[in-house]
């Protein structure tokens, strides 16, 4: 079953990366970290990979955001809620054990742990512990800072190539106002996307602003 946020916009760029991540997670790779600055598209990549892998996991695909979390107890509460772990326990160690028990029984599943930079050490310790008792769980971790997990790979996510940046701009501008992306020249669009370092979130903002003006 799919427990991911709904993505209503078209996924643009990163196609080779997404195909590779899907292939690795279907093989023996259990943990993949997507590292990069805010707005670069880490979460969107994770959601696209999860969408393509959904039918592979009988235990479902799950999304956990740690964006507003600041300590271990809060992280465990967020994870319990997102994974729908029903338990009356309130102590951190008991919550960790309850989640471990559910994961070991859930079988093959994919969990996206988003904004892990909020509690990096806690994420590292929890995933490493849970992976021992739940070897069929696959993890995608998105983070702005490096988290040194004992296994898995780290993918550095950077700005879009210019061609993909232009495609993203046109797509988002057209979604706000059809026809609006055909006005500016290619050279002007290149300057616009370069001015925001070809960061996807920033491109979406300037595209929406330009189309609405």
């Amino acid at each position: 079953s799919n427990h991911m946020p709904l993505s209503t916009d078209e996924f643009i760029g990163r196609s080779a990366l997404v195909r590779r991540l899907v292939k690795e997670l279907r093989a023996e790779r259990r943990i993949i970290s997507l590292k990069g600055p805010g707005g670069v598209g880490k979460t969107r990549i994770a959601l696209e990979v999860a969408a393509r892998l959904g039918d592979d996991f009988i235990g479902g695909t799950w999304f956990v955001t740690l964006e507003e979390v600041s300590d271990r107890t809060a992280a465990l509460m967020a994870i319990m809620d997102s994974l729908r772990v029903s338990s009356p326990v309130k102590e951190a160690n008991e919550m960790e054990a309850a989640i471990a028990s559910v994961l070991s029984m859930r079988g093959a599943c994919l969990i996206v742990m988003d904004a892990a930079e909020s509690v990096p050490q806690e994420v590292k310790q929890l995933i490493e512990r849970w992976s021992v008792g739940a070897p069929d769980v696959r993890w995608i971790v998105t983070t702005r800072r490096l988290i040194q997990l004992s296994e898995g790979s780290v993918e550095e996510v950077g700005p879009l190539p210019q061609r993909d940046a232009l495609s993203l701009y046109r797509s988002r501008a057209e979604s706000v106002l059809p026809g609006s992306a055909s006005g500016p020249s290619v050279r002007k669009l290149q300057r616009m996307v370069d001015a925001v370092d070809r960061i996807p979130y920033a491109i979406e903002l300037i595209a929406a602003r330009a189309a609405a003006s």
Side-chain angles (χ1 to χ4, degrees):
S1 53
N2 180 5
H3 303 277
M4 293 286 164
L6 180 64
S7 298
T8 57
D9 53 2
E10 180 187 4
F11 183 78
I12 294 174
R14 324 272 201 196
S15 56
L17 172 61
V18 168
R19 285 195 301 270
R20 180 162 56 81
L21 296 181
V22 166
K23 184 177 180 179
E24 289 181 4
L25 287 166
R26 279 181 172 150
E28 296 301 317
R29 185 79 70 196
R30 293 203 297 170
I31 306 169
I32 292 174
S33 297
L34 301 176
K35 175 183 170 292
V40 81
K42 303 180 298 294
T43 302
R44 190 66 181 84
I45 293 168
L47 293 177
E48 184 66 18
V49 171
R52 299 189 189 190
L53 282 170
D55 294 337
D56 290 38
F57 294 98
I58 58 172
T61 54
W62 303 82
F63 184 85
V64 179
T65 180
L66 301 173
E67 192 170 8
E68 302 296 327
V69 164
S70 59
D71 58 44
R72 181 168 176 254
T73 298
L76 286 162
M77 290 177 67
I79 294 166
M80 283 187 70
D81 183 58
S82 297
L83 300 184
R84 300 186 183 178
V85 176
S86 298
S87 176
V89 300
K90 297 297 181 183
E91 293 295 325
N93 289 340
E94 293 176 328
M95 287 191 284
E96 181 182 333
I99 295 167
S101 177
V102 168
L103 291 179
S104 67
M105 293 185 294
R106 192 164 280 173
C109 64
L110 173 66
I111 300 173
V112 174
M113 195 78 78
D114 193 50
E117 71 277 353
S118 300
V119 279
Q121 284 304 115
E122 289 77 4
V123 168
K124 169 182 166 62
Q125 293 167 3
L126 291 171
I127 289 179
E128 288 179 348
R129 288 173 188 161
W130 289 331
S131 292
V132 174
D136 292 330
V137 176
R138 298 291 186 266
W139 302 86
I140 302 177
V141 179
T142 76
T143 178
R144 297 186 185 187
R145 54 192 285 195
L146 180 63
I147 300 176
Q148 286 285 11
L149 290 153
S150 59
E151 69 170 282
S153 63
V154 178
E155 295 288 341
E156 295 277 353
V157 182
L160 284 170
Q162 192 172 77
R163 174 184 287 185
D164 292 337
L166 295 176
S167 295
L168 179 63
Y169 178 93
R170 293 188 179 105
S171 173
R172 300 302 185 257
E174 288 291 320
S175 70
V176 175
L177 181 64
S180 61
S182 60
S185 67
V186 172
R187 188 176 297 275
K188 181 178 180 180
L189 289 182
Q190 288 173 338
R191 289 198 301 268
M192 291 170 67
V193 299
D194 286 343
V196 294
D197 299 321
R198 303 193 310 279
I199 298 295
Y201 181 67
I203 293 170
E204 292 177 338
L205 288 179
I206 63 171
R209 190 178 304 125
S213 62

